[in-house]
Amino acid sequence: MSIRSILVPLDGASDNRSILENALKMARPFGALVEALHVRADARDSIPLFGEGMSGDMVEEMITNAERDATEKATALKTLFEEVCAQQNVPQVQNGNGAEGVSARWCEHVGREDDVLSWQGRLSDLVVCARPVADSSPMRALTLNAALFESARPVLLLPNPPHAQDIGRVVAIAWNGTAQAARAVQGAMAFITRAAEVHVMTCDSTIVDGLSPGEELAVYLKRWGVSAQVTRFAQGPHSVGETLLEHAGNVHADLFVCGAYSHSRFVQTVLGGVTSALMDTATIPVLFGH
């Protein structure tokens, strides 16, 4: 298994350079295409919210100013994209076809970022995002949710700050046998099969035909030539998410693979859960599948 295309949404925040550098670095071993996606908001969408009671001239001026600001942001982001590609010696392509080795393409659309990412994500092998930061777009959280729930693709969530690093030398997998966990493993196979070490971690003590769930996954991975080490642990005083991250730290993992939202988002928000813990506190990249 391999990765041929990586989609990276950029919103103009201070962490965009690092996000793009990470994506280009992880694309190189696969010779993949990195598509930098910037979605410009349609200024006319703000009229129903802010146009009531305003004169036609005021509305027109508001639209003009919004379009000017959007153009300036897009221009600055494209310049950043070109700088990072030049620094990493990554060729830019127009349509992503015919390039040998790693390449990059600038993609710009007008509309809602979450809607555009949902559609474009389905035409990619991996979506790379980062947690919201102080100066990120108000849409970033919605865009992350769209990537997880609507793109039908694995989502790699970078830590904050998302400094450039090697990803996938030591892979830790959180396994509980759910459909979401299975999709995460499937989406991460390109990394898992290339890793120097793979660790399967589970707190489920259920035994099936003499094997724990983690050992069952290790048997499956063996068919792909992957020798995985299995770690079983009991529920302790900390949350499952915190315990998983602790074990991942003990083996020096640089990529964590986990199913996202096995329970509903409402339950995760009210009661907490592994997904929420990983999103909020993980200091290594996490590849989610839903």
Side-chain angles (χ1 to χ4, degrees):
M1 292 185 179
S2 187
I3 294 174
R4 292 289 178 256
S5 59
I6 300 174
L7 185 65
V8 186
L10 302 177
D11 59 6
S14 55
D15 61 357
N16 281 193
R17 178 182 290 273
S18 294
I19 295 172
L20 184 57
E21 289 173 345
N22 267 283
L24 291 172
K25 191 168 187 177
M26 75 177 72
R28 193 174 293 278
F30 303 107
L33 168 70
V34 174
E35 296 185 289
L37 173 67
H38 176 59
V39 182
R40 298 170 53 171
D42 189 339
R44 291 169 176 78
D45 289 343
S46 63
I47 293 177
L49 296 177
F50 304 108
E52 185 176 354
M54 302 174 65
S55 68
D57 290 341
M58 293 174 66
V59 170
E60 189 64 32
E61 181 180 1
M62 180 183 67
I63 292 175
T64 299
N65 291 338
E67 289 178 340
R68 183 187 64 245
D69 293 343
T71 298
E72 291 176 353
K73 177 187 284 189
T75 300
L77 272 174
K78 187 175 183 181
T79 299
L80 172 67
F81 166 77
E82 293 170 346
E83 288 176 356
V84 173
C85 288
Q87 290 169 358
Q88 297 204 15
N89 196 28
V90 174
Q92 299 178 45
V93 296
Q94 295 298 318
N95 56 22
N97 295 324
E100 295 184 4
V102 62
S103 59
R105 183 167 79 99
W106 174 256
C107 306
E108 191 173 323
H109 295 267
V110 176
R112 282 179 56 96
E113 186 176 7
D114 53 340
D115 289 340
V116 175
L117 184 135
S118 297
W119 181 263
Q120 295 297 318
R122 295 166 193 155
L123 303 174
S124 303
D125 298 317
L126 179 68
V127 180
V128 176
C129 298
R131 293 199 298 262
V133 293
D135 62 343
S136 60
S137 165
M139 291 293 296
R140 184 179 288 195
L142 292 177
T143 299
L144 175 57
N145 281 334
L148 283 170
F149 291 97
E150 302 296 336
S151 72
R153 291 293 184 265
V155 176
L156 184 68
L157 183 67
L158 297 171
N160 185 16
H163 53 278
Q165 57 185 303
D166 292 324
I167 295 175
R169 293 171 299 180
V170 180
V171 178
I173 303 172
W175 180 253
N176 59 2
T178 62
Q180 291 82 3
R183 293 188 189 106
V185 170
Q186 183 71 14
M189 285 300 289
F191 296 102
I192 292 171
T193 55
R194 297 172 64 93
E197 294 180 29
V198 176
H199 298 265
V200 177
M201 301 177 178
T202 178
C203 68
D204 189 344
S205 59
T206 303
I207 303 298
V208 179
D209 294 333
L211 297 177
S212 71
E215 290 166 336
E216 286 186 303
L217 179 61
V219 170
Y220 167 77
L221 293 176
K222 190 68 176 179
R223 299 172 193 146
W224 287 92
V226 176
S227 296
Q229 302 178 48
V230 179
T231 299
R232 294 173 59 192
F233 57 88
Q235 178 68 59
H238 303 294
S239 70
V240 174
E242 291 172 329
T243 305
L244 284 168
L245 288 175
E246 179 182 351
H247 283 285
N250 291 339
V251 299
H252 306 290
D254 54 35
L255 176 63
F256 199 91
V257 178
C258 183
Y261 294 111
S262 299
H263 302 291
S264 71
R265 276 180 287 182
F266 174 78
V267 172
Q268 289 266 343
T269 301
V270 175
L271 300 179
V274 174
T275 308
S276 299
L278 294 176
M279 284 188 170
D280 294 340
T281 63
T283 58
I284 60 175
V286 181
L287 190 148
F288 287 109
H290 178 72

